[in-house]
Amino acid sequence: MVSNYYFLNVVRFLLLVLVQVLVFNKLNFFGFINPMVYILFLYWYPIKENRAAFIGLGFLLGIAIDFFSDTMAIHAASTITIAYMRPAIMRFVFGVNFEFQSFKLSNTTRVQQITFLALLIIVHHFVFFTLEIFSLDNFLLILKKVLATGTGTLILCLLFGSLFSVRKE
Amino acid sequence: MQQIINFIIRYKNFLLYVFLMIVSLGFTIQSHSYHQSRFFNSSNWVTGNILRTSNNVSTYFGLDQENQKLMEENTYLRKLLFNRTQIDTTVLDSVQQTYTITTAKVIKNSFADPRNYITIDKGRKDSVQPDMGVITSKGILGIIENTSNNFSTVQSILNEKSNINAKIKNTDHFGSLVWNMKQYNIVQLVDIPRLVPLTIGDTIVTGGMSSIFPEGIPIGTIRKFDLNTSKSFYNIDVALFNDMTNIKNVYIVKNTYREEILELEKQTETNGQ
């Protein structure tokens, strides 16, 4: 069971990296929208795991995407930010009960799941585009990109989420 | 001492986060100021091969268009060849050629970021080196930035760091070609003095001031121009000839005299001080 668990996460990691760089990096919807579906890895990752390992994995995931898309280490920086902030976001969305042993993502309401995912995406995209554009003169451009790409990412993540969701037991 | 250790244990996640953040910011900022990082680019072995495999599949979907483009170019070159007035056999001597050309295929293209890089499937083994020019049959594309054994990354003209010498065709008024990160089919030509007569639709080509591109490679046409804030130079919007979203086959241009030119310029600089 335990090895199965790790296996699932490794496969998920590799598949999300490949899907991201081979499909979604080339999408260029409306000329600039490239949804970042790899955020799903951080959304799906088990909650009770070691936090340090989680941040480390986030870094690896980001750097893997960076290698393919020639973006220096911007993906890595934004991914570790949401990896670090995930418990805070979860406490905000689910209240204190996410710290209980019996807590499961699949037991929460749909609205809570979407809010959680949306917050992860907004924080991630905001860090990402701020670093990518790297000037406050273009603040409106940053906001535009965050909103447009964020919407695209959210829709695609929800679609992926319902395709590969864990069965409710 | 006990307290320090307690502090580290207590905040280990935060410290790890800060450490990794500094690492990534370090890589990012370093490449902002100077060059793309030597290791963080898609020309390395793993990414290059994965991208090439994916590209091998996707190229089949554009073969017709690509053939059409190459035919058009061949027609153009044939026309030039047949209408030449004198036949000059000495040009075929490779020692006297200033520019040598290598072909390559694009395996990764991007045009939506502020710093776009294109990955191509030729590298050091094909004697591709950084700072060679890359063009397509329609016009200019970019400059080689990093190379590995089998792959290279090209800094596209759609890159905020890009700065290429360009001029208005049939004149000697030159300026710099830059990009304002907004649209992928429009780049900006700056530093053209006010006294130059301009018309919308004029052709922009590469200038002879660079040791990377030959003179006269087409870039685009003037779409719009206005004076800059100091009212002494023009800001010109140039519509590119190349469709930057659809690029498959490219040519790498090498100036065989580049080392000599650079060395001479360096000498002059050190002598002048």
Side-chain angles (χ1 to χ4, degrees):
Chain A
M1 190 60 202
V2 174
S3 65
N4 192 6
Y5 203 60
Y6 285 113
F7 179 71
L8 178 73
N9 272 310
V10 170
V11 170
R12 199 180 270 164
F13 184 100
L14 293 177
L15 279 183
L16 278 174
V17 169
L18 285 180
V19 162
Q20 179 67 43
V21 293
L22 296 181
V23 180
F24 290 106
N25 270 0
K26 298 179 182 173
L27 203 60
N28 293 310
F29 194 55
F30 289 135
F32 70 99
I33 300 180
N34 289 326
M36 302 174 199
V37 289
Y38 68 90
I39 294 177
L40 275 176
F41 182 79
L42 298 139
Y43 172 75
W44 277 331
Y45 194 78
I47 294 148
K48 277 142 213 119
E49 286 292 322
N50 182 354
R51 260 186 92 188
F54 181 52
I55 296 176
L57 266 177
F59 184 73
L60 281 184
L61 178 69
I63 230 58
I65 306 275
D66 279 320
F67 269 122
F68 281 98
S69 26
D70 291 303
T71 41
M72 282 75 74
I74 307 178
H75 281 289
S78 28
T79 314
I80 53 169
T81 307
I82 53 169
Y84 178 70
M85 287 180 66
R86 197 175 78 152
I89 295 176
M90 292 187 92
R91 198 168 293 124
F92 174 74
V93 177
F94 304 116
V96 276
N97 55 351
F98 95 92
E99 279 161 17
F100 295 145
Q101 281 300 313
S102 58
F103 179 82
K104 262 187 182 166
L105 201 58
S106 49
N107 290 342
T108 54
T109 63
R110 196 90 183 118
V111 179
Q112 281 178 324
Q113 289 175 13
I114 296 177
T115 320
F116 175 43
L117 185 58
L119 281 174
L120 284 182
I121 292 172
I122 288 173
V123 174
H124 177 276
H125 284 27
F126 194 74
V127 176
F128 180 82
F129 287 113
T130 310
L131 284 177
E132 190 188 39
I133 293 166
F134 216 65
S135 80
L136 284 179
D137 300 343
N138 291 317
F139 192 68
L140 278 179
L141 184 67
I142 296 177
L143 278 187
K144 184 188 120 190
K145 285 201 164 189
V146 170
L147 282 181
T149 314
T151 316
T153 311
L154 183 64
I155 292 171
L156 276 164
C157 283
L158 288 176
L159 286 179
F160 264 72
S162 52
L163 262 183
F164 300 104
S165 67
V166 188
R167 268 170 279 113
K168 278 195 180 178
E169 280 148 39
Chain B
M1 194 62 200
Q2 183 73 36
Q3 278 188 334
I4 295 176
I5 292 171
N6 277 341
F7 174 82
I8 291 177
I9 291 174
R10 198 159 157 215
Y11 291 99
K12 67 175 195 298
N13 290 325
F14 180 69
L15 291 174
L16 177 70
Y17 169 66
V18 168
F19 169 72
L20 289 176
M21 197 65 178
I22 289 172
V23 170
S24 10
L25 284 184
F27 283 129
T28 309
I29 290 167
Q30 174 210 9
S31 59
H32 265 285
S33 54
Y34 174 53
H35 224 254
Q36 191 187 6
S37 161
R38 193 159 285 271
F39 305 103
F40 286 77
N41 65 67
S42 57
S43 74
N44 66 56
W45 186 81
V46 180
T47 54
N49 277 303
I50 291 179
L51 289 172
R52 180 158 67 183
T53 314
S54 133
N55 185 63
N56 277 346
V57 178
S58 57
T59 38
Y60 282 102
F61 299 107
L63 277 184
D64 260 3
Q65 275 177 27
E66 213 44 39
N67 278 340
Q68 191 64 35
K69 261 191 215 166
L70 295 178
M71 287 282 277
E72 271 165 28
E73 193 189 11
N74 277 343
T75 323
Y76 171 74
L77 294 175
R78 288 269 174 213
K79 227 190 284 173
L80 280 189
L81 193 67
F82 292 148
N83 293 326
R84 234 160 50 142
T85 40
Q86 87 242 32
I87 304 296
D88 198 353
T89 48
T90 53
V91 183
L92 295 175
D93 183 357
S94 66
V95 180
Q96 289 188 3
Q97 285 177 348
T98 319
Y99 295 101
T100 58
I101 307 270
T102 321
T103 59
K105 265 192 200 153
V106 172
I107 59 170
K108 187 215 108 192
N109 187 8
S110 92
F111 49 85
D113 305 333
R115 280 173 299 281
N116 292 300
Y117 291 95
I118 295 162
T119 313
I120 56 174
D121 69 344
K122 288 280 164 73
R124 276 196 291 268
K125 275 186 189 163
D126 309 279
S127 64
V128 175
Q129 289 153 1
D131 288 332
M132 286 183 175
V134 180
I135 60 174
T136 69
S137 55
K138 291 211 177 123
I140 185 174
L141 188 66
I143 297 171
I144 302 271
E145 181 145 325
N146 275 304
T147 56
S148 68
N149 279 335
N150 295 306
F151 304 98
S152 316
T153 52
V154 182
Q155 179 192 289
S156 157
I157 43 172
L158 301 183
N159 188 313
E160 62 169 338
K161 289 194 284 175
S162 164
N163 190 341
I164 290 167
N165 182 272
K167 65 172 192 178
I168 296 149
K169 197 178 178 181
N170 297 331
T171 69
D172 279 323
H173 298 291
F174 64 88
S176 307
L177 197 72
V178 292
W179 187 50
N180 66 1
M181 310 188 278
K182 296 232 165 79
Q183 282 166 288
Y184 58 77
N185 51 357
I186 292 178
V187 293
Q188 281 69 38
L189 180 64
V190 294
D191 294 344
I192 296 275
R194 188 181 179 166
L195 55 97
V196 180
L198 293 176
T199 342
I200 287 178
D202 278 358
T203 309
I204 308 290
V205 297
T206 53
M209 304 290 165
S210 97
S211 53
I212 296 173
F213 290 105
E215 199 175 341
I217 304 269
I219 295 172
T221 53
I222 297 184
R223 186 184 162 113
K224 189 180 108 200
F225 57 88
D226 43 28
L227 288 169
N228 68 359
T229 41
S230 70
K231 300 285 176 205
S232 45
F233 292 101
Y234 281 118
N235 281 337
I236 304 171
D237 276 2
V238 181
L240 292 170
F241 286 132
N242 259 332
D243 177 4
M244 297 299 282
T245 62
N246 181 15
I247 290 165
K248 295 260 166 65
N249 292 301
V250 298
Y251 302 107
I252 304 163
V253 184
K254 184 192 181 186
N255 184 344
T256 40
Y257 295 123
R258 182 175 156 80
E259 277 88 28
E260 201 177 324
I261 296 173
L262 287 185
E263 200 179 315
L264 187 66
E265 280 174 356
K266 208 168 120 196
Q267 251 179 40
T268 320
E269 234 165 63
T270 41
N271 286 346
Q273 278 164 2

